Amino acid sequence: MQSSKPREAYLNSLIERAVGGDRAALGKLLTVLERPSRDSGIVLRTLVKKSGRAHVVGVTGIPGSGKSTLISKLISVYRSWGLRVGVLAVDPTSPLSRGALMADRLRMQRHATDPNVFIRSIASKGFRGGLSLAALAMIEALDAAGYDKIIVETVGVGQAEVDIMHAAHTIVVVTMPGAGDDIQALKAGVMEIGDIYVVNKSDKPEADQLLEFINFALETGEIGSGEKWRPLVVKTSAIMGTGVEELAKVIEKHLEHLVRTGRFEEKVESRRLMLARLFALRIVEEKVEKIIEAHKREVSRILGESDDPYTVLEALIEKGLREL
Amino acid sequence: MSNYKVLVSKLGLDGHDRGAKVVARALKDAGFDVIYTGIRQTPEQVVEAAIQEDVDVIGVSILSGAHIHHVSRLMKLLRERGLNVPVVVGGTIPIPDVPRLKQMGVREVFLPGSSLKEIINVVRRLAEEKRRAEQQA
Amino acid sequence: MVKLFNNESIEKIREALKKWEKETLPLSLQRFPERMERFTTLSNIEVKRIYTPADLADHDYFEKLGLPGEYPFTRGIHATMYRGRLWTMRMFSGYGGPEETNKRLKFLIKHGETGLSLAFDYPTLVGIDSDDPMASGEVGICGVAVDTLKDMEIIFDGINLGEVTTNMTINPPAPVLLSMYVAVAEKQGVPYDRVGGTTQNDPLKEFIAQKSYVFPPEPAVKIAMDVVEWSVKNLPKWNPISISGYHIREAGSDAVQELAFTLADGIAYVRHLVERGMDVDEFAPRLSFFFDSHINFFEEIAKFRAARRMWAKIMKEWFGAKKPRSWWLRFHTQTAGVSLTAQQPWNNIVRTTIEALAAVLGGTQSLHTNALDEPFRVPSELAAKIALRTQQIIAYETGVADTVDPLAGSYYVEWLTDEIEERAWRYIERIERMGGMIEAVKKGYPQREITETSYRFQREVEEGKRFIVGVNIFVDEVEDEIRNVPLLEIDQEEIEARQKERLRKIRESRNKAKVERALAELRRAAERGENIMPYVLTAVKAYATLGEIMGTLKEVYGEWVEPPLI
Ligand SMILES: Nc1nc2c(ncn2[C@@H]2O[C@H](COP(=O)(O)OP(=O)(O)OP(=O)(O)O)[C@@H](O)[C@H]2O)c(=O)[nH]1
Ligand SMILES: [Mg+2]
């Protein structure tokens, strides 16, 4: 899409309305941010001037551990504290199917009509430019729109999801008893660098065992964020609602720690750096794809016929970039 | 272009979600991104979910017999919020009620026996239409 | 071991078959190629070209069949079956307010009906009051609205509860509705031992299919079993639970899944009650079942026969029940609503007839036949009457009820009975390995199986692999005009307004302190894990509302949201 003046005016009005509390405008704004384009660049330019205040909480953990249920209960606690909550739910859709079926919302749908809660589902694929770019850009939008807490749900494996979690201020790793308390399970992706560990489904008998196991792993340093923060462990039952308030308080503790140590702003900065980097990478990627498309024949022969494929490819791309 | 997004929802208190789930599955297999809200939804919840997810089409299924009541409320809320999302309705709807629903602004009504192919085609057409209208705006 | 056929005969038949396949069959196949490559039942069981004694080579007569009224009851739970008493022709109906329902019940009683049946509206089914915002537009639509004891008093005004039996289709709120019924009986001076009827009270199938759940699975089962225990001890004539496969089937399962999931539900209940310390033989005779009868004729008959055999085995061998009465699988049947089509609706009479016939040949204890216009509206009087007449024709004209289990010994039916049983056991084993049905529904296992099956079926219909007359074969261009006949509209808004007004008045006039005390005591009892029935009864008598009682229990037990699975 061409970025013309009327288009820019439209985007600006969208931002203005979204920031002013128009939820339909915010919904549309998030759609614009789903893929990198001139539009999304223009939007981000304005958004980052208004964002940077929100506390981004990443909630991750194995499928079925109760993340969505827990987030729904966490929303209730935050609402009782008078905070506004935005949620981005990344649905672990099978990469094999064309479409996606997103059902995290189902567990949080009771908050749908609360004007101070905004929930958006993200299919884990189908985004040009990648899932992480879309999610990171959406965080800026929810932040600018005045949501105090932005909760991001992912299963935390795969590069994109790890990137997303790195963009969070606080990483909450959700585990449950009976899922095989193997240390390897906690070493997948971002789970080993949690700031807070949750033993959910504590209504089940084996919960205490898991709690001990995690405490032990933390002591031996097998898991943990490696920062000046000793990860805390909280027992919850999302179904019964027990322990959720405590979890919310522990999350606040971590926030205080971040603010005190200056890490809060640092994280906002590194989040934006990552966003810009992903943006740039996408631009390059698109261009490279165009060049390769234009020289398909040549490229397909390089590996087999060239003495130094790396240098030849490099030269081809550089030449292509100059010509573009 | 990203996938078309559809909200599939069960409006009202009945729990007969077989149809809604089969349709959600079929839409997903046909390449749509489907947001499924589950059962026991109010018109307010459906409208809010549609807004937050910025969907291209809203599909609601009702088998409780309260379709006139719920759908008229749904359409009224959509108008109030200035939302231009096409709505389709499925379920045990008596034929004499079909024109009533259409008068309210429902774009299509799927009666028992509608084929998945037909549903997918209509939803795709409506989604295309909506995206096109938006581009022009 | 009493084999049906001796080895020598079997050998001879096998030889003959081989010869037949070589000599007779090819010619026939050449001239009349078969209609399909594979013939399958609705459960996707492949049906062979022909069945012979060779398919029953190892069949032990007494192990598999026995005699009617004797273990394993494959041939029926009674020795004489319908020669003695026909099945009960039970017809559910009803919508409107308590006043309308009272009028209709009195009308039915005047015409000799003593088995009454109450259907409730959706707000009542999910345990909320008529003035709850979620109830808006739904009050009084698919059944009668009940908020407080007052409504139950109106429904049974002038009807002696000692002289009728009442079937209540109610699940999570069953303790409340049963308490209301009992409270009315008490007010009428009817002693507990004359209060008779049924509560459906089957929470597990709500998670699997019907989706009128309220509490999470464990407390849901606990509460339902409170009703069973309390009824066993206090209401000798009450059937406290009807373990239902009907809804599982209507939600899209096949016959094998219906059978397996229903029995697995039953197993979960029995296990819970035994763990509670009850004697199996004390409660087992009070359990009853409810199945669907679908259109694949022989498969349904086989399903009913297999069900009896399996349950008898479960009760006798797994749970050690000693009374033959505890081994019985008594069941109610309804013809398959989902098999009916909106297109060419008159054909539905034929479908219902075939399904009803299958239920009778399968040995049902009672039967409901659907009306032809059910797919698109509340049945008209004529349609409901034809449905009832269908049963009467089967009972009085056809002669199918004149001998016990007439299809026994059919090579195909016996083979299919074994096959269905075998497949159902496999499901039950899988569920047992998961830790029983409560764990399975939490994982969404049966839910997912059903969604898969119904999606597959729908695709098969659309790909022309399964036929439905009037839908994907022999389709009419023009809609039948009866689909255009407007409904008798009930004035829903008026009913809702009336119901809310009555509720408001009760909330105002009742003794508030008494209500609060009753609810507080209920909460404490629930927290202690006691049987809640006596406390619910006290609350009901103080005119606590359905929504208040359910709300109190929700605070203790939590609320269920389905795992997202499609
Ligand atoms: N017993 C018990 N079950 C729970 C608890 N929290 C969640 N569950 C159940 O666990 C299942 C999964 O819950 P979700 O909230 O969907 O889990 P999730 O981690 O978001 O799952 P995905 O998004 O699919 O990865 C559901 O059946 C919940 O009802 C709990 O505290 N106790
Ligand atoms: Mg989730």
Side-chain angles (χ1 to χ4, degrees), chain A residues 201-238:
Chain A
K201 309 201 183 182
S202 62
D203 45 296
K204 292 200 169 187
E206 315 90 335
D208 284 325
Q209 227 175 305
L210 176 61
L211 188 79
E212 264 176 48
F213 172 78
I214 290 177
N215 272 324
F216 181 74
L218 281 171
E219 250 150 56
T220 58
E222 282 177 276
I223 53 174
S225 55
E227 295 187 16
K228 287 194 190 65
W229 163 263
R230 163 78 156 76
L232 294 171
V233 190
V234 187
K235 233 167 62 167
T236 61
S237 167

Side-chain angles (χ1 to χ4, degrees), chain C residues 295 339-341 347-356 468-469:
Chain C
I295 194 74
S339 73
L340 305 186
T341 62
N347 298 342
N348 293 333
I349 300 177
V350 182
R351 294 193 178 96
T352 298
T353 305
I354 292 166
E355 293 164 0
I468 302 175
V469 171

Side-chain angles (χ1 to χ4, degrees), chain A residues 80-317:
Chain A
S80 75
W81 293 354
L83 297 175
R84 306 182 68 214
V85 190
V87 177
L88 294 175
V90 179
D91 212 280
T93 318
S94 146
L96 296 176
S97 66
R98 275 201 295 150
L101 227 160
M102 300 182 274
D104 282 329
R105 166 172 276 279
L106 191 146
R107 304 210 162 273
M108 311 174 199
Q109 183 59 359
R110 71 179 60 195
H111 300 291
T113 54
D114 182 336
N116 292 305
V117 177
F118 196 100
I119 301 164
R120 176 73 166 226
S121 314
I122 308 179
S124 62
K125 63 181 176 47
F127 292 112
R128 280 169 53 210
L131 164 68
S132 34
L133 179 50
L136 261 52
M138 289 188 191
I139 289 176
E140 298 298 336
L142 289 172
D143 187 339
Y147 289 93
D148 303 297
K149 297 283 179 193
I150 298 169
I151 306 178
V152 188
E153 174 181 343
T154 77
V155 289
V157 283
Q159 188 52 46
E161 303 213 350
V162 171
D163 286 349
I164 296 172
M165 279 299 134
H166 277 299
H169 288 109
T170 304
I171 299 178
V172 177
V173 175
V174 183
T175 62
M176 64 170 171
D181 45 7
D182 184 5
I183 190 78
Q184 293 312 324
L186 280 174
K187 282 201 152 176
V190 71
M191 287 186 236
E192 56 184 319
I193 52 156
D195 298 306
I196 294 162
Y197 286 86
V198 174
V199 175
N200 188 39
K201 309 201 183 182
S202 62
D203 45 296
K204 292 200 169 187
E206 315 90 335
D208 284 325
Q209 227 175 305
L210 176 61
L211 188 79
E212 264 176 48
F213 172 78
I214 290 177
N215 272 324
F216 181 74
L218 281 171
E219 250 150 56
T220 58
E222 282 177 276
I223 53 174
S225 55
E227 295 187 16
K228 287 194 190 65
W229 163 263
R230 163 78 156 76
L232 294 171
V233 190
V234 187
K235 233 167 62 167
T236 61
S237 167
I239 284 201
M240 304 308 298
T242 51
V244 181
E245 182 133 16
E246 200 205 325
L247 171 61
K249 286 181 184 153
V250 167
I251 293 174
E252 283 319 281
K253 254 195 204 157
H254 187 248
L255 173 62
E256 281 160 27
H257 163 81
L258 290 174
V259 172
R260 206 175 42 241
T261 54
R263 292 284 290 136
F264 188 90
E265 277 81 19
E266 273 173 46
K267 288 226 176 190
V268 173
E269 242 168 70
S270 69
R271 176 178 92 209
R272 289 186 181 155
L273 179 63
M274 167 124 59
L275 181 51
R277 233 183 73 218
L278 291 169
F279 213 112
L281 281 174
R282 180 59 206 167
I283 294 171
V284 173
E285 199 179 311
E286 257 174 28
K287 292 193 171 175
V288 169
E289 257 157 30
K290 253 190 220 154
I291 295 166
I292 290 181
E293 189 58 32
H295 300 84
K296 244 196 206 147
R297 279 255 192 91
E298 213 181 319
V299 172
S300 68
R301 273 188 260 121
I302 288 178
L303 276 188
E305 297 173 9
S306 159
D307 290 338
D308 183 0
Y310 184 99
T311 311
V312 174
L313 270 177
E314 194 178 37
L316 181 92
I317 299 291

Side-chain angles (χ1 to χ4, degrees), chain B residues 11-18 20-22 24-27 29 36 39-42 45 62-67 69-70 73 92-97 100 111-118, chain C residues 122-123 126 128 134-138 141-142 209-214 249-252 338 342-343 375-376 451-452 454-455 457-459 462 471 479 483-487 489 492 562 565-566:
Chain B
L11 205 46
L13 292 177
D14 81 272
H16 305 106
D17 55 5
R18 165 192 173 133
K21 282 187 167 178
V22 166
R25 264 290 289 276
L27 286 169
D29 288 350
Y36 181 64
I39 61 169
R40 293 189 208 168
Q41 297 291 300
T42 61
Q45 283 176 306
I62 312 172
L63 287 89
S64 72
H67 46 272
H69 178 91
H70 293 316
R73 174 127 192 89
T92 41
I93 315 284
I95 286 185
D97 284 348
R100 287 173 72 187
L111 302 179
S114 306
S115 77
L116 293 174
K117 218 192 301 162
E118 185 186 339
Chain C
Y122 280 108
V126 299
I128 61 177
M134 281 293 294
S136 166
E138 308 251 12
I141 282 201
C142 290
Q210 180 82 341
K211 312 289 167 85
S212 294
Y213 43 68
V214 174
R249 190 67 183 277
E250 293 284 302
V338 284
Q343 295 90 336
F376 49 92
T451 308
E452 280 306 317
S454 62
Y455 187 46
F457 178 78
Q458 184 65 29
R459 281 204 324 255
E462 295 196 10
V471 174
E479 284 292 349
R483 286 188 70 186
N484 289 311
V485 178
L487 284 181
E489 290 228 0
Q492 192 272 332
E562 185 175 61
L565 29 94
I566 303 178

Side-chain angles (χ1 to χ4, degrees), chain A residues 1 23-24 27-28 31 34 97-103 105-106 109-110 112-113 117-121 123 126, chain B residues 2-3 5 24 28-38 41 44-45 48-49 51-54 83 134-135:
Chain A
M1 181 136 335
R23 295 155 70 76
K28 295 239 172 295
T31 305
E34 276 177 357
S97 66
R98 275 201 295 150
L101 227 160
M102 300 182 274
R105 166 172 276 279
L106 191 146
Q109 183 59 359
R110 71 179 60 195
T113 54
V117 177
F118 196 100
I119 301 164
R120 176 73 166 226
S121 314
Chain B
S2 47
N3 288 346
K5 256 199 230 176
K28 174 197 148 199
D29 288 350
F32 291 81
D33 283 356
V34 182
I35 291 142
Y36 181 64
T37 65
Q41 297 291 300
E44 284 79 358
Q45 283 176 306
E48 271 301 327
I51 284 176
Q52 292 167 34
E53 304 287 358
D54 190 24
L83 241 62
E134 245 160 35
Q135 303 253 296

